[in-house]
């Protein structure tokens, strides 16, 4: 495994451009982001019926087929298909948290509600933290078909393409530096946009929001500011931007007085909230809209693009980001997630006071500060060693390869102490040895908007070990989360065990790591098994 620390070097030449063997990979060699390259006979396990892409080598064999080399013994052709995978970073976790609630209450998620990257990113990782405000890059992997207790065959009949020893799981991990609790941080200017529609009357919705905001009000510093906007059929400003210092009781009173009313006009709430955020914007502060809702819009515009089109200037010109907090047993997960993506922010989901405290107390810095704006990742696979690859999840975060270094193209916003993980299924060529891939992250400094990049790479010898015997328990947890998500949405991955075996893995990992979150994952897998037998 190779680990690269953070550097503030700009314009660094990235190994994604020229891979081993002198093969040039241009960013524009494919029409899309190229997040998968697979055999045309296999659909990549995608539940959406997307057409199968072709082999990177066009199905003509390996890289040493006749005509591949010139008289000098050097390769003289560019690969005919895309070996780049490019996506915007995503730190959302709402899909996993909402799925756990559904399963616990006897329901099941639809395939569209399951986003594997949000399952994966719900768990702590073991990546080294950078010393400055950029990213560390960690790339590692393992062989999924095998382990200390013998080989585990894929459990689904449509996973036959994944069987064999030539598949590996490759984990790309990015990490930002946490906030020092004793250090000063920029003040926060938060505009709470609160859903008080009739659907929020259900227990665990508006009542939980009010308790959560009460907790947050107590946690914020005196130098921070908040505004309060509510919406049902219409939007209303309950409190203009107000400093916490000397006004906490006033803010508590405004929140305590909230009561549910009628319909849900998310458009009105978001538009008015951004108006207030712009009016109360503070130079040098983190200016953010915090939307708290079940996102069940039924009045006004109900599509994310239409809602956020009206406040595009506030996002672009003033750098105001959106943090979405979902609540409720029925939750408009897709709308909330797309709002956050379009609004340069992220989402989470809370269903208990314990989860609310985790979000608004334990994880508060990562939700009110920024380490990186418009962050994107690009992974370049070496065609001399890699035959096929597939990125697990991130379908709605794909970025065109040629836009990786176009800083006008939207990426993801990442706060302090966040980790972002991308998991790939990678099929190596027979007898392959050497370089497998180079992963590069590009981001803009939140204050100066200067671009920075950092990279890490991986070789074939780093993916030879068995997954279930891997030295990193966190890599194994990542795999369990991904296998679980793919099972729920009807997909597949190499080496996928059945749910019973997956639950056993999760429980063993929970015991070894003493991580209660992994125990909750095991419980969710068990509940999914029960649903499948009903």
């Amino acid at each position: 495994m190779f680990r690269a620390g953070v550097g503030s070097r700009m314009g660094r030449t990235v190994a994604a451009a020229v891979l081993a063997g002198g093969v040039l990979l241009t960013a524009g060699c494919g029409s899309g982001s190229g997040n998968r390259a697979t055999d045309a006979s296999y659909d990549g396990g995608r539940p959406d019926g997307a057409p199968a892409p072709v082999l990177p080598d066009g199905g003509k064999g390996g890289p040493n087929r006749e005509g591949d080399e010139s008289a000098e013994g050097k390769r003289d052709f560019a690969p005919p298909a895309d070996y780049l995978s490019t996506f915007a970073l995503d730190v959302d976790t709402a899909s996993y948290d909402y799925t756990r609630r559904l399963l616990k209450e006897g329901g099941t998620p639809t395939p569209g509600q399951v986003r594997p990257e949000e399952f994966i990113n719900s768990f702590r990782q073991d990546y080294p933290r950078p010393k400055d405000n950029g990213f560390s890059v960690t790339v590692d992997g393992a062989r999924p078909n095998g382990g200390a207790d013998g080989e585990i065959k894929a459990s689904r009949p449509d996973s036959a393409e994944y069987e064999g020893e030539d598949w590996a799981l490759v984990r790309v991990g990015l990490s930002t530096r946490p906030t020092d609790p004793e250090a000063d941080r920029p003040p926060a200017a938060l505009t709470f946009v609160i859903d008080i529609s009739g659907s929020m009357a259900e227990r665990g919705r508006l009542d939980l929001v009010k308790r959560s905001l009460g907790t947050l009000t107590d946690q914020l510093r005196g130098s921070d500011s908040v505004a309060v906007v509510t919406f049902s059929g219409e939007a209303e400003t309950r409190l203009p931007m107000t400093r916490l210092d000397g006004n906490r009781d006033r803010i508590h009173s405004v929140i305590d007085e909230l009561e549910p009313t009628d319909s849900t006009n998310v458009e009105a709430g978001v538009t008015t909230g951004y108006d207030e955020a712009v009016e109360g914007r503070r130079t040098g502060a983190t200016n953010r809209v915090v939307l708290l809702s079940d996102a069940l819009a039924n009045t006004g515009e109900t599509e994310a693009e239409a809602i956020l089109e009206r406040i595009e200037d506030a996002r672009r010109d003033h750098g105001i980001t959106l943090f979405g907090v979902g609540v409720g047993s029925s939750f408009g997960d897709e709308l909330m997630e797309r709002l956050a993506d379009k609004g340069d922010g992220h989402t989470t989901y809370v269903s208990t006071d314990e989860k609310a405290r985790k979000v608004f107390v334990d994880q508060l810095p990562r939700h009110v500060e920024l380490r990186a704006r418009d962050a994107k990742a690009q992974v370049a696979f070496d065609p001399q060693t890699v035959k096929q690859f597939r990125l697990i999840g991130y379908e709605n975060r794909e970025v065109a390869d040629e836009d990786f270094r176009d800083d006008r193209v939207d990426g993801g916003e990442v706060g302090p102490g966040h980790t972002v993980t991308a998991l790939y299924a990678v099929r190596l060529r027979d007898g392959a040895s050497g370089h497998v891939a180079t992963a590069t992250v590009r981001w803009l400094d939140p204050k100066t908007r200067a671009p920075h990049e950092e990279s890490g790479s991986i070789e074939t010898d780093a993916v030879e070990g068995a997954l279930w015997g891997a030295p990193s328990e966190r890599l194994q947890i990542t795999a369990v989360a991904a296998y679980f998500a793919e099972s729920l949405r009807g997909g597949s991955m190499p080496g996928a065990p059945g749910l019973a075996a997956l639950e056993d893995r999760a429980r063993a990992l929970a015991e070894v790591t003493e991580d209660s979150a992994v125990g909750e994952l095991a419980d969710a897998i068990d509940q999914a098994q029960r649903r499948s037998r009903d």
Side-chain angles (χ1 to χ4, degrees):
M1 178 177 64
F2 174 88
R3 288 179 173 172
V6 167
S8 59
R9 301 175 297 278
M10 297 175 53
R12 173 175 174 174
T13 301
V14 183
V18 182
L19 295 176
V23 181
L24 177 65
L25 292 183
T26 61
C29 65
S31 60
S33 67
N35 283 341
R36 57 193 179 277
T38 58
D39 190 320
S41 66
Y42 175 64
D43 68 4
R46 288 284 300 280
D48 56 8
V54 298
L55 271 172
D57 64 7
K60 300 176 183 177
N64 297 318
R65 64 183 183 271
E66 185 178 356
D68 278 0
E69 296 185 355
S70 66
E72 291 77 22
K74 295 181 181 179
R75 293 163 58 92
D76 61 357
F77 72 100
D82 194 352
Y83 279 84
L84 294 177
S85 170
T86 309
F87 58 94
L89 301 198
D90 190 351
V91 295
D92 294 352
T93 60
S95 174
Y96 173 67
D97 292 325
Y98 184 52
T99 294
R100 281 206 307 120
R101 174 172 182 163
L102 283 177
L103 291 170
K104 188 174 182 179
E105 295 181 350
T108 54
T110 64
Q113 290 174 318
V114 178
R115 293 185 291 277
E117 69 274 16
E118 297 187 23
F119 280 54
I120 291 169
N121 285 320
S122 294
F123 297 92
R124 288 192 294 108
Q125 293 290 357
D126 51 0
Y127 311 138
R129 300 289 187 175
K131 295 180 179 179
D132 60 18
N133 289 333
F135 286 88
S136 66
V137 181
T138 302
V139 191
D140 63 0
R143 298 282 187 166
N145 286 319
D149 56 356
E151 185 176 7
I152 298 176
K153 293 291 186 182
S155 62
R156 294 174 54 84
D158 61 358
S159 298
E161 180 68 20
Y162 277 140
E163 292 183 2
E165 294 302 313
D166 50 356
W167 283 99
L169 297 182
V170 172
R171 178 180 65 156
V172 175
L174 311 173
S175 178
T176 58
R177 177 177 59 85
T179 293
D180 182 349
E182 303 301 321
D184 289 335
R185 63 163 172 81
L190 308 178
T191 302
F192 301 142
V193 178
I194 306 168
D195 186 347
I196 59 168
S197 61
S199 62
M200 292 291 286
E202 177 191 284
R203 184 178 178 183
R205 297 194 187 197
L206 185 57
D207 58 327
L208 179 59
V209 166
K210 291 166 66 173
R211 291 194 299 274
S212 299
L213 290 182
T215 299
L216 178 57
T217 298
D218 291 334
Q219 291 296 313
L220 291 172
R221 300 176 181 179
S223 58
D224 296 328
S225 302
V226 302
V228 177
V229 171
T230 60
F231 68 93
S232 52
E234 297 179 346
E236 177 184 356
T237 298
R238 301 293 185 101
L239 181 74
M241 194 64 71
T242 303
R243 297 233 178 185
L244 270 291
D245 191 22
N247 291 298
R248 291 184 196 272
D249 289 344
R250 178 185 176 194
I251 296 167
H252 276 295
S253 295
V254 170
I255 294 169
D256 291 343
E257 291 170 359
L258 301 181
E259 295 294 338
T261 55
D262 46 26
S263 56
T264 310
N265 191 335
V266 176
E267 176 197 11
V270 171
T271 301
T272 303
Y274 270 85
D275 288 344
E276 287 296 328
V278 171
E279 180 70 22
R281 180 178 176 271
R282 294 176 57 186
T283 302
T286 300
N287 295 273
R288 176 158 288 192
V289 170
V290 182
L291 173 63
L292 302 107
S293 174
D294 58 17
L296 300 176
N298 55 25
T299 302
E301 290 285 1
T302 60
E303 297 295 328
E305 289 82 357
I307 293 172
L308 287 178
E309 183 178 351
R310 298 185 60 182
I311 48 83
E312 174 69 15
D313 291 344
R315 180 191 68 81
R316 184 184 63 246
D317 298 339
H318 302 295
I320 298 172
T321 57
L322 180 67
F323 174 37
V325 181
V327 297
S329 56
S330 296
F331 170 46
D333 172 59
E334 181 178 356
L335 174 60
M336 182 71 85
E337 193 260 349
R338 296 193 71 185
L339 281 170
D341 285 349
K342 297 282 288 184
D344 282 352
H346 63 283
T347 66
T348 191
Y349 176 84
V350 298
S351 59
T352 64
D353 289 303
E354 180 183 7
K355 175 64 176 179
R357 181 170 183 82
K358 182 178 180 181
V359 169
F360 292 115
V361 179
D362 302 337
Q363 299 175 346
L364 180 61
R366 69 179 63 174
H367 300 310
V368 300
E369 297 181 58
L370 282 180
R371 285 279 188 262
R373 284 189 181 275
D374 289 322
K376 309 180 194 104
Q378 186 169 85
V379 182
F381 291 92
D382 191 330
Q384 293 193 87
T385 57
V386 173
K387 186 175 185 179
Q388 299 171 239
F389 68 88
R390 176 195 162 206
L391 174 60
I392 309 302
Y394 288 95
E395 286 90 356
N396 65 354
R397 302 294 283 162
E398 291 184 358
V399 173
D401 297 327
E402 61 269 23
D403 290 338
F404 178 59
R405 291 190 175 88
D406 186 345
D407 296 325
R408 297 167 299 178
V409 174
D410 188 33
E413 276 54 51
V414 182
H418 265 133
T419 60
V420 181
T421 300
L423 190 67
Y424 287 86
V426 178
R427 188 178 187 182
L428 300 178
R429 297 190 182 278
D430 293 341
S433 178
H435 180 247
V436 174
T438 294
T440 301
V441 58
R442 181 179 177 89
W443 72 96
L444 304 183
D445 182 274
K447 294 181 180 179
T448 67
R449 293 189 176 269
H452 302 273
E453 292 187 6
E454 189 58 57
S455 297
S457 63
I458 189 168
E459 305 291 307
T460 51
D461 59 1
V463 298
E464 290 303 322
L467 172 63
W468 305 118
S472 170
E473 286 89 5
R474 293 292 158 183
L475 172 59
Q476 297 178 54
I477 293 168
T478 297
V480 170
Y483 283 135
F484 183 40
E486 286 294 81
S487 174
L488 288 174
R489 70 175 188 166
S492 61
M493 286 173 54
L499 288 178
L502 201 61
E503 180 192 351
D504 290 342
R505 295 290 184 189
R507 295 211 182 279
L509 288 165
E511 183 175 352
V512 151
T513 60
E514 299 182 343
D515 188 340
S516 61
V518 183
E520 292 171 349
L521 173 61
D523 291 341
I525 296 171
D526 175 59
Q527 290 152 3
Q529 290 184 78
R530 296 174 188 273
R531 299 290 86 74
S532 66
R533 293 194 295 262
D534 290 344

